[in-house]
Amino acid sequence: MLTDQTIRAALTHTLDSVDLPGLGEPMRGKVRDSFVRGKERIIVVTDRISAFDVVLGTIPFKGQVLNTMAAHWFEKTRHIAPNHLIDVPDPTVSVCTQCRTMPVEMVVRGYLTGSTSTSIWKAYEGGARVFCGHDLPDGMKKHHRLERPIITPSTKAEQGEHDESVSRQELLRRTDITEAQFDEMADYAMGLFLYGTEQAASRGLILVDTKYEFGMSPDGKIMLIDEVHTPDSSRYWYADDYQRRFEAGENPRSLDKEFVRRTLIERGYSGDGLAPELGDELRVEAAKRYAEILSVVTGVAFEGDTREPMARMSAALKL
Ligand SMILES: Nc1ncnc2c1ncn2[C@@H]1O[C@H](COP(=O)(O)OP(=O)(O)OP(=O)(O)O)[C@@H](O)[C@H]1O
Ligand SMILES: [Mg+2]
């Protein structure tokens, strides 16, 4: 198991950004650094954490947890949707099929929740009874289960901008995605979400909501890319006390990034202006939660690989 001591020792040398000699300049996303090698995309999941669309700092072992968990689900869901994963040569590295990204995030939601200004809960609280084309009944409370899961597509904003939730129709109007492509992605997204919900339930968890990204492979196939059912892309709650806490008007116990979001909101930050320092206590607590969810989901205690990451990755990639 990942101990407190191991996490604290790692605070000063987390994986912040990656340079791998021989692979050229990486494309740097908020969390992943990627290198294109022929038809492959080598994705390194760093320890950076983003929330409210900004990078806030690093969390020890987060990259390993995320990469391992995504790989776990990519392997388990191949029968539902084709995906980009080819190989996982290192705990923080995935070798994938390089795709043309589809300009949408397919968000699937099972609950009326969220804390940011763009969340379905904020819209509902503000009086909206239609969200992305879906009717919502009156009288729902925060964290209420939706009658059935809904797909709420989100645009991919330029850097520094916030994504926007839109209906299928609006998305088709704004992008070059065809109806057939949208419907194929929607079918994959719903199939994945239902499977993820079942799997989570068998581990005592609720898969609350999630986002999927899709790409077009070089041979013209739509496939799932990026990450799947990780605590960065998904909300997870503990199932056992959800109902009791919901009825008492309390927040569910979550095992995802929501903990960091909520803590920052309590400190008065909601995504605009300079983000506050995370602080070591929050970083340690977040590391524990990330490790915990990987253990719960895979049933294997997460140890954490403490070897020097650059040398380890170079060796794994035979650079
Ligand atoms: N197989 C793939 N082919 C092409 N691009 C991919 C593939 N898998 C992931 N990506 C892209 O690589 C990037 C991953 O980096 P990261 O997740 O850190 O980005 P980001 O800054 O969070 O952007 P976003 O908010 O859109 O996810 C994303 O832009 C994602 O769309
Ligand atoms: Mg991303």
Side-chain angles (χ1 to χ4, degrees), residues 3-24:
T3 63
D4 221 68
Q5 204 181 5
T6 312
I7 296 173
R8 284 185 192 277
L11 282 170
T12 50
H13 48 277
T14 48
L15 185 60
D16 187 8
S17 73
V18 181
D19 287 291
L20 290 169
L23 285 185

Side-chain angles (χ1 to χ4, degrees), residues 31 49-54 56 62 227 230-236 254-263 289-290:
V31 173
I49 181 166
S50 83
F52 311 102
D53 293 327
V54 288
L56 300 165
K62 175 175 178 283
E227 60 183 328
T230 70
D232 266 13
S233 67
S234 317
R235 280 196 185 84
Y236 282 97
S254 65
L255 257 182
D256 57 65
K257 222 166 62 167
E258 190 67 6
F259 162 71
V260 173
R261 282 196 210 102
R262 265 190 220 144
T263 309
R289 290 181 182 227
Y290 275 99

Side-chain angles (χ1 to χ4, degrees), residues 28-34 41 43 48 50 53 84 96-101 105 156 163 211 213 225-227:
R28 299 196 199 272
K30 286 191 284 291
V31 173
R32 278 156 267 271
D33 288 349
S34 311
R41 185 180 183 96
I43 301 181
R48 299 193 293 266
S50 83
D53 293 327
H84 74 169
C96 306
T97 306
Q98 164 69 1
C99 294
R100 183 171 64 78
T101 56
E105 294 193 346
K156 284 192 174 193
D163 296 346
K211 68 118 189 159
E213 291 188 35
I225 63 167
D226 204 43
E227 60 183 328

Side-chain angles (χ1 to χ4, degrees), residues 24-304:
E25 219 7 67
M27 286 166 276
R28 299 196 199 272
K30 286 191 284 291
V31 173
R32 278 156 267 271
D33 288 349
S34 311
F35 305 82
V36 174
R37 181 167 74 178
K39 285 188 173 173
E40 292 173 351
R41 185 180 183 96
I42 297 168
I43 301 181
V44 180
V45 188
T46 71
D47 292 332
R48 299 193 293 266
I49 181 166
S50 83
F52 311 102
D53 293 327
V54 288
V55 177
L56 300 165
T58 59
I59 307 292
F61 301 104
K62 175 175 178 283
Q64 294 185 29
V65 168
L66 244 69
N67 191 52
T68 307
M69 192 146 159
H72 172 85
W73 290 122
F74 276 129
E75 289 308 339
K76 291 214 162 218
T77 58
R78 281 193 198 280
H79 64 292
I80 301 171
N83 69 58
H84 74 169
L85 187 65
I86 298 169
D87 187 26
V88 186
D90 178 90
T92 54
V93 182
S94 286
V95 177
C96 306
T97 306
Q98 164 69 1
C99 294
R100 183 171 64 78
T101 56
M102 303 298 282
V104 60
E105 294 193 346
M106 296 296 272
V107 178
V108 188
R109 301 171 189 270
Y111 289 76
L112 188 72
T113 190
S115 53
T116 63
S117 56
T118 53
S119 69
I120 188 171
W121 165 247
K122 288 287 174 201
Y124 188 87
E125 196 184 23
R129 291 296 176 269
V130 180
F131 192 76
C132 300
H134 302 280
D135 292 326
L136 300 170
D138 280 324
M140 293 182 80
K141 291 198 297 176
K142 190 172 187 184
H143 310 311
H144 224 127
R145 185 165 184 260
L146 297 169
E147 200 183 336
R148 66 181 70 85
I150 56 172
I151 295 182
T152 63
S154 173
T155 59
K156 284 192 174 193
E158 297 295 318
Q159 205 171 1
E161 304 283 312
H162 294 299
D163 296 346
E164 204 184 324
S165 296
V166 294
S167 64
R168 172 184 185 273
Q169 204 180 5
E170 179 64 15
L171 187 89
L172 292 176
R173 198 182 64 74
R174 287 202 206 177
T175 65
D176 60 2
I177 295 174
T178 67
E179 288 196 22
Q181 287 171 336
F182 183 92
D183 294 340
E184 186 176 345
M185 291 190 284
D187 281 349
Y188 289 150
M190 196 51 87
L192 290 163
F193 190 75
L194 295 177
Y195 176 83
T197 299
E198 272 170 25
Q199 292 291 307
S202 72
R203 305 270 177 196
L205 299 173
I206 295 172
L207 178 60
V208 180
D209 49 35
T210 192
K211 68 118 189 159
Y212 304 104
E213 291 188 35
F214 292 93
M216 180 74 77
S217 74
D219 51 7
K221 195 157 93 176
I222 290 181
M223 48 172 64
L224 181 64
I225 63 167
D226 204 43
E227 60 183 328
V228 53
H229 297 169
T230 70
D232 266 13
S233 67
S234 317
R235 280 196 185 84
Y236 282 97
W237 294 338
Y238 283 106
D240 58 352
D241 56 357
Y242 161 76
Q243 195 60 27
R244 185 189 63 70
R245 296 177 76 102
F246 172 69
E247 281 163 17
E250 293 170 21
N251 286 326
R253 281 190 304 139
S254 65
L255 257 182
D256 57 65
K257 222 166 62 167
E258 190 67 6
F259 162 71
V260 173
R261 282 196 210 102
R262 265 190 220 144
T263 309
L264 292 184
I265 288 170
E266 280 162 21
R267 292 181 189 169
Y269 180 71
S270 56
D272 297 307
L274 200 62
E277 289 266 318
L278 291 174
D280 284 353
E281 291 320 303
L282 181 56
R283 293 173 71 212
V284 170
E285 180 59 29
K288 284 186 193 164
R289 290 181 182 227
Y290 275 99
E292 165 83 5
I293 193 164
L294 181 64
S295 303
V296 171
V297 162
T298 59
V300 181
F302 174 68
E303 300 290 339

